[in-house]
Each structure stands twice: as structure tokens, then as C-alpha cells.
Amino acid sequence: MKYLKLAEFYEEASDTTKRLEKIEILSKFLKQLDECDRDVLYLLMGDIYPEYDDRKIGISNQLALKCIAKSTGINEKDVLKEWKNIGDLGRVAEKLVSNKKQSTLGGKGVLTTDKVIDNLRKLPGLVGKGTVGKKISLITELLTSASSIEALYLVRTLIGDLRIGVKESTIRDSISSAFFNSEEGASKKIQDAIDKTNDIAAVFDIAAKKKLSGFNKLKLEVGKPIKVMLAEKALTIEDAFVSVGKPCAVEYKYDGFRMLIHKEGDKVMFFTRNLENVSSQFPEVVDYIKKYVKGKSFILDSEAVGFNKKTKEYKPFQEISQRIRRKYNIEKLRDELPVEINVFDILFYEGKSLLSEPFQKRSVLVRKIVKNHPYKIVTSKQIITSDEKKAEAFYKKALGDNQEGAMFKNLSAGYQPGRRVGHMLKIKPESKDLDLVITGGEYGTGKRSGWLSSFILSCRGKKGEFLEVGKMGTGIKEKSTLDTGEDISFNELTEKLKPYFLKESGRTVKIKPKIVVSVTYQEIQNSPNYNSGFALRFPRFTALRPDRSPDSVSTLEELKKDYDSQKRNWRYG
Ligand code: AMP
């Protein structure tokens, strides 16, 4: 398929903000798509592989800028100037390619989606010497054949900022309209298929044959991580019981990071909640799984919690966060920052998906197959009760054991990937801490000049948009701490954010929502200064959350709940 056709679709889709219109446009586009163009589905999501695959395009703005310069023959400084003026690198490419095409009368050839995918798929595999040069030539090859509108969307795809407002749910409903006339139940079947496979093109393959029963063929597979089920928040134990029913399971809410454990024969893999493959970072856990969990093939859901080797005291997440990212000195880190795996769910066992089995059944199976070895691998601490007093005592015990709070789980509910569900609720002491994403910053002055010294934090709105909630400047160190992992300095955080800078004007920078941080705060106030309508008082940085995606940061709803609970001046625990 010609890439131009796709670019025209992107343009049409971004021309409307109305969901139904978007669905109509996408549905029309999907109907025209040949089965051999299935990979275009990934491009629609700004990707080149299924979501479960952690090979991503990952091109920084700086590198994209170099490629624009090279392919248009304009020097980098001038491209940078344009970028500062226009503020959108895609539009810069569009303008410069259009100027060039006018003077050279057309590009060299017709760009196809196959060629784009081919070249882009070569990018993530490049490592070592000469990588940058090779990346530049693969991208430049595409840009030199591109028309201005193609250049616009190529660059946006490269830097991961497509801006067409097409989400997974838009694709789901468009598939339903294109191939099943939006018949009743179709959307749900398609969603189930997406949940199980995490592969939108595989779902398209089946949908194009127009038989809903075809989706039954799609299976959950070991090695292909699916999105995790997320919890809603409850303010009181009473509320929690109302949502999940009585009796329910109450579990410790551990303060670590989510770890999906996949095993097939001898192969053991770990994925974070962001679906990042972290298998090589936890060699000791591979041993625990092989020795202490019965079964040939399974997918477990768990929380990895750090503890002090000597005192055996559990540590908060930020003290072990390095273990997720660090790819060197793994043995040393393993000794210094041991983790205990707390298994709380199972999604697949011996070839069979358990997603639609009731939680109680899954939970019993977990306890049957995992042999508890404290400080290595254990099943989550759990009680099953209808008694609020017992639940409260258990919750307090969890807090006393340095954990975050408690989870309340409906015993008969299935596992719903990728959604915050009302049948799994978390309860923590009056929350005062949030996960937020950085969407802007301000350069400092004096000893902090050259670095961002204040960071704009955003939560998520109802439609998935990011809404500002305040500025953070505390909790960050003045000086670089040489990767102790516990602290971060202004310059380190600025460097981490740089690849995502979207626009600089004066001392302020707009930043693409990518870097998630945990923050504490003293109070939430109503405020006209931020588009969320709220402002955090004294937000303080506590940890980088490389294991969390911008899509899963705290929502406006949660902020409202915190605001309301603070108004009632209610404290739990
Ligand atoms: P939050 O990060 O505050 O939205 O809380 C949800 C997270 O709690 C999950 O993503 C898990 O990483 C974590 N968690 C800790 N203990 C449990 C548990 N027993 N059951 C489910 N999730 C848990």
C-alpha cells in the first residue's frame, strides 16, 4: 500500500475530535485494507510490532532533526531554528520537504508502507559502533522519497507522537463497524481478542474474514505479555466491601513493582507492568520459579518486593528501582538488593487460559503450585472474610509490615487485562502520593542554570488526555549521585527528559508525556492555574517509575477522590 494513502488517513483522522467521526473514517480505511497490509495496523498505533513486543522505534527528537537536515540538505542549525519557531518537528519536516520538492520537482520514488515498516524495523536491533550513522541512513532513505505530508507523519511516527487521536478502543470499534456492522457483542469479542493477544494485526486478520467465531482461535500465549489488570481505589473498607461484595479476598498490597512471570518448559521470562522484558535482570528469580513453582507452562502475576539482606526488613519501591533498568553488574545488584516475589494471581496454566475463571479458583491454584520460601518466593498474604473488623486488622498489619495497604478482590470475577476494575480495589492510608507524568519544565537560574529546575506534573483526564496539576522542584538533588538509584539530580532528570522535549520558548519547555514519577504532596487545592482544575501543594519527588506507562498515571477521578477525602478530613489507619 502506498504510504501516501496512510498519511492521508492520518490527516483526515486528526481533522476531527469527534469519536464517532473518527470511527467512521477508520472503518472506511480498514475496509479498503488488503489482508497483506495487516502490519499497517501497527502503524495506526504509531508502532511497528505488536504491543507485547518491546522492540520500539525509539528515535529521539535530536536524531530525527539530524535526519530532516540530511534529507533536505538544510543545515542542522536552520532546522533547529525552524523547530523553535514551529514547535512541532513533524510540521518542520513537512515544511522543509515541501520547499525542497518545489525546487527539485518531486521526490525520487513512491514510498510504500512495506518499505517504511522494513526500514523502521531495522532500527531497534542496531547496537554498537556506527549505530547512529546506520539509523540516520535508514531514516533518510525514507524521508528523501517522502512528499511533505508523508514526511510529517514519518517524523511523528519516529518520535512517537502521532497525534491522530486513535486509541485501541477506536480501532476496536472501527473493526466492529467495518466487518461486523457493529452488531451486538462484536465489540466485546474484539476487545477479548485484543486482550488475549495484545496484537492488533492478529485481530484484524480474523476480523477481515468477517466471522466472529474466528476469534475463538486466538489464544493467550506464554512469552507474549498482555496488559495487567489494574485496581480502582477505595476510600474506606466499607466502600471496598460494597464494590467487591461479601465475602471477598483481602490481600497485602505490597510496595514493590509488578512482575509478570512467564514460563514454558525451561524458559522463564519476566515482564513489567509496561510489558518491558526484564528477564535478564533477575537471574535468581529464574531459579526460584524453576525450583518452587510446579508446572511446565504458566503465567503468574506478582509483586517483587525489596528487602534488607541483614535485617530482613522490607524496603520501599524506590530503593530497588535500579534492578529494573540496570543491565550490567547484575550479580552485584542481586546481592545488594534482593527481592522477594509475592505471587497473587495466575492467568494461564498448562496450556489453558484462566482469564475467565473466577478469582477464587485462580487464587487456590496459585497456592497449590507455589511452594512458599520466604525472601525468595511466596504467595500473597490473604484472608477471605465478610467481616470489616477482621479486614481492618489485616490492613493495619500490612501497614505494620512496611507494605502499602490492602487489596480487596471479588472472588468470582475474571481477570480483565488493561483496565482499572471495580472488582479489585486498593486501599492505602490517606493517599498523599500519586504517580504523575512530567509534561513540562522550566530552566533554572544561578547554580541551576542549564538544567530544568521545576517540572510540570500531569494526571490523566477522562478521555486519556493529560491535565496539569502542579509544578515540582523538591525531592531532587542538586548534584549528580552517580547512579545510586535512590536519588536523582536536576541534571540527571533533565537529561532523561531531553529526548522528549517538544517545544522550548524562553525558559519553559513542553515535554512529551513519557517519564512517570511518584510524588508525595501536602494538600490538593482547587486552582484555576492548571487545566485539571486542581493544584498540588508542595509536591515532592520520591521515585522515577520506569515500570509504569503514562497511560497508567493517577487519574483526575483519583485526584478528586483525594480532594474530597481531604475535605472530609478523614484518616484511615
Ligand atoms: P497502584 O499502583 O496504587 O495503582 O496499585 C496497584 C498495584 O499494586 C498493582 O499494579 C500491583 O503492582 C500492586 N500490588 C501489590 N500487591 C498486590 C496484590 N496483592 N494484588 C494485586 N496487586 C498488588
Side-chain angles (χ1 to χ4, degrees), residues 15-190:
D15 273 351
T16 175
T17 51
K18 296 202 178 91
R19 188 178 137 75
L20 288 179
E21 280 177 20
K22 266 198 216 293
I23 290 174
E24 204 181 309
I25 296 165
L26 180 52
S27 159
K28 204 172 86 204
F29 178 79
L30 291 175
K31 275 188 204 161
Q32 297 166 9
L33 210 59
D34 279 337
E35 283 179 43
C36 63
D37 287 325
R38 66 188 297 280
D39 289 355
V40 168
L41 268 289
Y42 302 134
L43 291 177
L44 290 177
M45 299 289 288
D47 238 328
I48 43 173
Y49 287 110
E51 202 180 346
Y52 66 73
D53 196 310
D54 67 358
R55 285 171 295 178
K56 303 288 171 202
I57 303 171
I59 295 295
S60 68
N61 289 330
Q62 275 67 23
L63 194 61
L65 189 146
K66 273 191 198 322
C67 298
I68 298 172
K70 186 138 190 247
S71 58
T72 54
I74 298 169
N75 76 48
E76 283 179 35
K77 269 199 191 135
D78 291 331
V79 181
L80 186 66
K81 222 189 264 166
E82 287 286 351
W83 185 24
K84 289 209 158 153
N85 275 338
I86 302 177
D88 171 343
L89 213 44
R91 292 278 173 218
V92 172
E94 181 186 34
K95 179 177 168 190
L96 299 181
V97 165
S98 156
N99 291 350
K100 181 186 150 208
K101 293 280 144 81
Q102 275 168 12
S103 57
T104 58
L105 291 176
K108 280 191 201 143
V110 175
L111 202 54
T112 61
T113 51
D114 280 347
K115 177 67 186 164
V116 170
I117 290 174
D118 250 22
N119 279 25
L120 297 187
R121 281 188 174 166
K122 288 182 185 137
L123 298 173
L126 293 172
V127 280
K129 228 175 136 194
T131 297
V132 172
K134 282 180 205 154
K135 285 188 177 175
I136 292 178
S137 69
L138 284 164
I139 298 168
T140 311
E141 189 192 358
L142 299 177
L143 281 173
T144 42
S145 325
S147 62
S148 53
I149 176 179
E150 290 172 312
L152 162 65
Y153 288 103
L154 267 177
V155 168
R156 286 196 175 165
T157 302
L158 287 170
I159 61 174
D161 190 24
L162 210 42
R163 301 194 198 179
I164 55 164
V166 166
K167 295 185 294 188
E168 187 183 274
S169 57
T170 328
I171 300 190
R172 174 197 66 205
D173 292 345
S174 307
I175 289 180
S176 168
S177 156
F179 305 112
F180 304 103
N181 251 330
S182 301
E183 72 176 76
E184 217 188 311
S187 253
K188 168 145 192 340
K189 276 236 164 199
I190 298 164

Side-chain angles (χ1 to χ4, degrees), residues 43 52 111 115 117 167 213 251 284 391 401 440 474 538 556 562:
L43 291 177
Y52 66 73
L111 202 54
K115 177 67 186 164
I117 290 174
K167 295 185 294 188
S213 58
E251 296 185 1
E284 81 277 30
D401 278 350
T474 45
F538 306 121
L556 188 61
D562 287 353

